[in-house]
Amino acid sequence: MMKKFILILSVILTLFVSAKAAIGEVTATIDTPYVMVGMPRVLHLELTVPKDAKVEWPRLHRQGGVAAVDMEQPDKSYLLEFGPDTNFEIDTLSSTEGQITLAQNLQVLAFDSAAMVIRAIPFVIDGKDTLYSDVVALNCDHPFESIADDPQGMMGLKEILDPPFVLWDYLRWVVYVLIALALAALVGWLAYYLYKRYKKGDALVEEKKPEVLLPAHEVAMHALLDLEQKHLWEGGRFKEYHTELTDILRRYIERRYQVQAMESTSDEIMQELVELQIQQKSSFNNLRDVLKMADYVKFAKYEPSAEENQISFYNSRLFVEQTKEIIVEKKEGESSSEENNN
């Protein structure tokens, strides 16, 4: 009797698994289960179904992120927000006579320090069957959680010390007053001198010199050279370095392409430079990489390596050099023309 029961149960399980396999298969994986707060990771969704099946892909972009729950407190929920490079397009990985494999890659960022589980994501097949993705575990840590909340508790109190007598502390105000009086006397004398000359009829007309405006690429190159001399990233000032680097490129883009780059986001700038992507794809990619790295540093508190800082600088200089305007002087009687450096 027991053998018959086990045989029947095995047949039922085999039929159930076969039915599920006929409907399709869905998997969910993440780059790494360990991540720092604010660091982007990619959630990979893959769905294999019959080729003629109608799939209702979950519209996660309407939620603004992917839902997750705390491992220890299931009633506590989190939202893994989508990153700036998230692409909601659904790609076809493979297609055979009977089956098709679809995929979607979602960039997510966790801003809560906790061990969490990404909920199973439903996929509706042919309007009646539902496939659920795997449950994905994720451990998000904060890099500063180990620092004590009360630094004063880590050190003993010191006695109040009497400051030594410094004569300059008392004399400096006298020196400041004397300097102010000397400046006032100088301004008064200069005003009197100008008044006497004007009264004599000496016109004080200063001839204005025409302002010489350097080409946009020369201004950008000088600014990049000055930035390199400051050695900001070598001193750990990553955010200041990448902010100044992208500001140089934004000012250059405003003059070179007449785009309001200083008031635009990185994505808006790249959308404005569609023609550049067609004509000079390598220059377009260099600019995109520089702006993307700067966004990570400024908004996700990412600390780039020395090589990444140098690559951003070299890509910036290469972008300016490759896209600079070249003015071609023509023969006498013909107007000069400007053309882009391809």
Side-chain angles (χ1 to χ4, degrees):
M1 186 67 179
M2 179 62 68
K3 292 182 178 179
K4 289 184 177 181
F5 176 75
I6 294 174
L7 180 61
I8 294 172
L9 182 61
S10 301
V11 172
I12 293 173
L13 291 176
T14 303
L15 292 176
F16 177 76
V17 172
S18 300
K20 284 294 182 180
I23 297 172
E25 182 181 2
V26 59
T27 60
T29 58
I30 197 165
D31 289 346
T32 174
Y34 301 99
V35 65
M36 291 293 182
V37 170
M39 288 295 295
R41 286 294 179 266
V42 178
L43 177 65
H44 306 277
L45 301 177
E46 289 189 13
L47 175 67
T48 302
V49 293
K51 200 169 185 179
D52 58 349
K54 295 182 179 180
V55 179
E56 294 183 21
W57 202 275
R59 300 181 179 180
L60 299 175
H61 62 278
R62 293 185 175 179
Q63 305 175 7
V66 180
V69 296
D70 196 283
M71 283 188 180
E72 299 180 355
Q73 305 178 34
D75 58 336
K76 189 175 181 180
S77 61
Y78 307 99
L79 183 66
L80 304 181
E81 300 181 12
F82 292 128
D85 293 332
T86 301
N87 186 358
F88 293 100
E89 294 184 1
I90 301 172
D91 301 319
T92 301
L93 295 185
S94 62
S95 177
T96 60
E97 294 184 359
Q99 302 226 335
I100 186 173
T101 300
L102 306 175
Q104 187 180 44
N105 298 318
L106 303 172
Q107 186 188 65
V108 295
L109 298 96
F111 294 98
D112 298 285
S113 177
M116 59 187 72
V117 175
I118 299 177
R119 297 178 182 273
I121 301 175
F123 295 78
V124 180
I125 312 300
D126 293 329
K128 57 182 180 179
D129 297 312
T130 303
L131 294 176
Y132 291 90
S133 67
D134 303 327
V135 176
V136 180
L138 180 65
N139 189 18
C140 184
D141 292 327
H142 198 291
F144 303 109
E145 282 187 345
S146 60
I147 299 178
D149 294 335
D150 183 16
Q152 294 295 333
M154 302 172 61
M155 61 185 71
L157 298 177
K158 296 183 179 181
E159 297 181 357
I160 299 176
L161 300 177
D162 293 329
F165 176 79
V166 179
L167 182 60
W168 172 247
D169 293 339
Y170 300 93
L171 292 182
R172 59 178 178 177
W173 298 110
V174 177
V175 175
Y176 294 157
V177 171
L178 294 176
I179 293 175
L181 292 175
L183 289 176
L186 179 61
V187 171
W189 176 84
L190 182 60
Y192 176 76
Y193 172 76
L194 295 176
Y195 170 75
K196 296 294 288 183
R197 286 195 59 184
Y198 177 77
K199 198 171 182 180
K200 290 180 179 179
D202 296 335
L204 301 177
V205 178
E206 182 179 356
E207 182 180 356
K208 289 187 177 180
K209 297 181 180 179
E211 183 179 1
V212 179
L213 189 62
L214 293 176
H217 68 274
E218 292 188 17
V219 175
M221 284 299 187
H222 287 310
L224 288 173
L225 182 59
D226 293 339
L227 175 61
E228 186 180 28
Q229 298 298 325
K230 293 181 180 179
H231 301 287
L232 295 178
W233 68 263
E234 291 92 336
R237 298 156 65 184
F238 304 110
K239 182 176 181 180
E240 184 177 348
Y241 171 76
H242 284 273
T243 299
E244 189 168 343
L245 181 63
T246 53
D247 284 348
I248 293 172
L249 294 180
R250 288 170 184 267
R251 287 191 291 269
Y252 168 75
I253 292 171
E254 283 197 347
R255 290 190 56 193
R256 177 64 179 85
Y257 296 103
Q258 290 74 50
V259 173
Q260 297 296 325
M262 295 302 293
E263 294 79 25
S264 302
T265 63
S266 299
D267 291 340
E268 291 172 346
I269 293 174
M270 302 312 297
Q271 291 175 3
E272 291 288 342
L273 300 178
V274 175
E275 293 185 4
L276 178 64
Q277 184 181 16
I278 299 173
Q279 298 175 0
Q280 294 174 263
K281 188 174 182 180
S282 62
S283 301
F284 180 89
N285 292 337
N286 288 340
L287 176 62
R288 181 193 59 196
D289 294 342
V290 174
L291 296 178
K292 184 186 299 184
M293 177 60 66
D295 288 342
Y296 285 161
V297 174
K298 291 188 287 186
F299 304 119
K301 299 181 180 179
Y302 177 65
E303 294 188 2
S305 64
E307 182 180 2
E308 290 173 325
N309 288 314
Q310 292 173 348
I311 290 175
S312 289
F313 182 84
Y314 294 147
N315 282 343
S316 301
R317 190 165 61 184
L318 189 60
F319 170 77
V320 174
E321 184 64 28
Q322 290 178 341
T323 60
K324 67 181 180 180
E325 261 185 347
I326 297 179
I327 301 176
V328 180
E329 295 291 338
K330 291 193 173 184
K331 296 180 180 179
E332 186 177 359
E334 296 180 358
S335 59
S336 62
S337 63
E338 298 178 358
E339 59 186 19
N340 295 334
N341 180 26
N342 293 324

